[in-house]
Each structure stands twice: as structure tokens, then as C-alpha cells.
């Protein structure tokens, strides 16, 4: 399950207060990598919330326009 927005904020508060990553993960019932990625994202980019995926408008051979989700993987 995804962490709620409130949980993400609380996670960073706990980490800033010295709580270890695995202890925070136990508290929120998620994997320690989830907490670690959240912490890294905040340190590198300055945000903790999901960003929308980019979309592209394309036309098929019949000129029907369709929105496609572009993955950056």
C-alpha cells in the first residue's frame, strides 16, 4: 500500500529526529527501501509527493487523438 501524504510528512519528521529507517518502516508497515527512497527524493529534489507522469497527445492512422502515458523507465 502507498503511504498517505500525512504519513510521508510524519516519516520525514521521524527521520529528522533521529529515528532509524527500519524503525520508521516498521511503524508504517512498509519496506525499509520505501522509506529510504522517500528520504532520498526529499534530499535530492525537495519534494515528497508523487508527481504526475508526462502525457503525450498522439494521432493514429485514422486521425484519432489519444493521450499516451510516457514512462521514463
Amino acid at each position: 500500500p502507498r503511504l498517505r501524504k500525512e504519513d510521508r510528512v510524519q516519516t520525514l519528521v521521524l527521520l529528522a529526529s533521529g529515528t532509524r529507517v527500519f524503525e520508521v518502516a516498521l511503524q508504517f508497515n512498509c519496506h525499509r527501501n520505501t522509506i529510504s527512497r522517500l528520504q532520498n527524493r526529499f534530499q535530492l529534489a525537495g519534494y515528497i509527493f508523487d508527481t504526475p507522469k508526462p502525457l503525450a497527445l498522439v494521432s493514429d492512422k485514422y486521425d484519432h487523438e489519444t493521450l499516451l502515458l510516457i514512462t521514463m523507465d
Side-chain angles (χ1 to χ4, degrees), residues 29-69:
N29 193 29
C30 64
H31 197 275
R32 59 184 162 75
N33 288 348
T34 302
I35 303 300
S36 184
R37 283 192 302 265
L38 180 66
Q39 184 180 34
N40 289 339
R41 184 186 321 151
F42 182 71
Q43 290 172 345
L44 293 174
Y47 65 90
I48 58 172
F49 303 114
D50 293 333
T51 55
K53 302 258 186 219
L55 297 174
L57 191 60
V58 296
S59 296
D60 62 13
K61 66 180 183 177
Y62 303 107
D63 243 2
H64 297 118
E65 292 182 335
T66 309
L67 281 176
L68 289 182
L69 183 63

Side-chain angles (χ1 to χ4, degrees), residues 7-45:
D7 293 341
R8 294 175 191 206
V9 173
Q10 185 62 31
T11 296
L12 292 176
V13 169
L14 290 170
L15 292 170
S17 70
T19 308
R20 294 187 288 183
V21 170
F22 83 92
E23 293 171 330
V24 175
L26 283 174
Q27 182 173 341
F28 289 98
N29 193 29
C30 64
H31 197 275
R32 59 184 162 75
N33 288 348
T34 302
I35 303 300
S36 184
R37 283 192 302 265
L38 180 66
Q39 184 180 34
N40 289 339
R41 184 186 321 151
F42 182 71
Q43 290 172 345
L44 293 174

